[in-house]
Amino acid sequence: MIWPATAQTPGPGYRLDVLFRPSGHVDHRLARRHVVNEVKRGRLSRSDVCDAHPELLRAARGVGQSSEVVCPICEDATVRYVTYAFGPRMPAHGKLVETEKELARLDRGTAQLQGYTVEACPACGWNHLQRSFAIGRRAESASR
């Protein structure tokens, strides 16, 4: 694993790093830190930030990547990472990417897709966009 060892990054075995494109990768750690600090200062309530959609929580419990990162809100459970892909010929609600193999298959395609990894706490409902990134080889495929 190539992720830096910080509390905000996915845990062992999470290999989306091999698919990130430097020009298409956005890390949302600063926004996450701001929200967590606002909760700790009492400017946001727990109910303001622990509002995960039931489908996100179901995906986190069922196919989400486990981590060793403790939930910054409840501090009772570890967060799980769920990845979705959006783009042409995808469902309007996005495609839940369940495995690395599936993500690699989407990345080999020519469609321009956008991936989003969300961290979610199954215990309290905390959720935050962790990363967004480009998927697909649209530029390389178009030039051939």
Side-chain angles (χ1 to χ4, degrees):
M1 185 166 94
I2 304 174
W3 295 90
T6 64
Q8 293 83 15
T9 56
Y14 205 75
R15 299 279 311 163
L16 289 179
D17 57 312
V18 298
L19 299 175
F20 288 147
R21 308 250 188 295
S23 62
H25 171 248
V26 178
D27 189 315
H28 297 272
R29 281 185 283 182
L30 291 176
R32 178 190 189 271
R33 187 179 314 155
H34 174 73
V35 170
V36 170
N37 287 339
E38 292 295 293
V39 171
K40 290 183 178 181
R41 290 183 184 122
R43 295 179 184 154
L44 286 174
S45 71
R46 186 171 166 167
S47 63
D48 289 332
V49 298
C50 294
D51 60 351
H53 190 278
E55 285 298 319
L56 174 60
L57 292 176
R58 191 179 348 257
R61 288 182 190 109
V63 297
Q65 293 285 329
S66 61
S67 76
E68 295 178 11
V69 177
V70 175
C71 174
I73 305 303
C74 71
E75 299 178 346
D76 289 335
T78 57
V79 298
R80 298 183 63 88
Y81 296 95
V82 181
T83 300
Y84 293 94
F86 292 86
R89 292 181 283 180
M90 293 283 173
H93 58 277
K95 168 136 179 56
L96 176 62
V97 180
E98 297 184 27
T99 64
E100 275 184 52
K101 188 175 181 180
E102 185 178 9
L103 186 60
R105 183 184 57 76
L106 291 172
D107 191 49
R108 286 189 302 271
T110 58
Q112 180 178 355
L113 303 176
Q114 187 66 30
Y116 297 91
T117 299
V118 178
E119 70 175 16
C121 176
C124 73
W126 155 259
N127 63 104
H128 197 273
L129 178 61
Q130 184 70 19
R131 299 183 188 282
S132 56
F133 52 96
I135 303 172
R137 303 189 192 282
R138 62 214 163 269
E140 294 173 1
S141 298
S143 65
R144 289 184 186 167

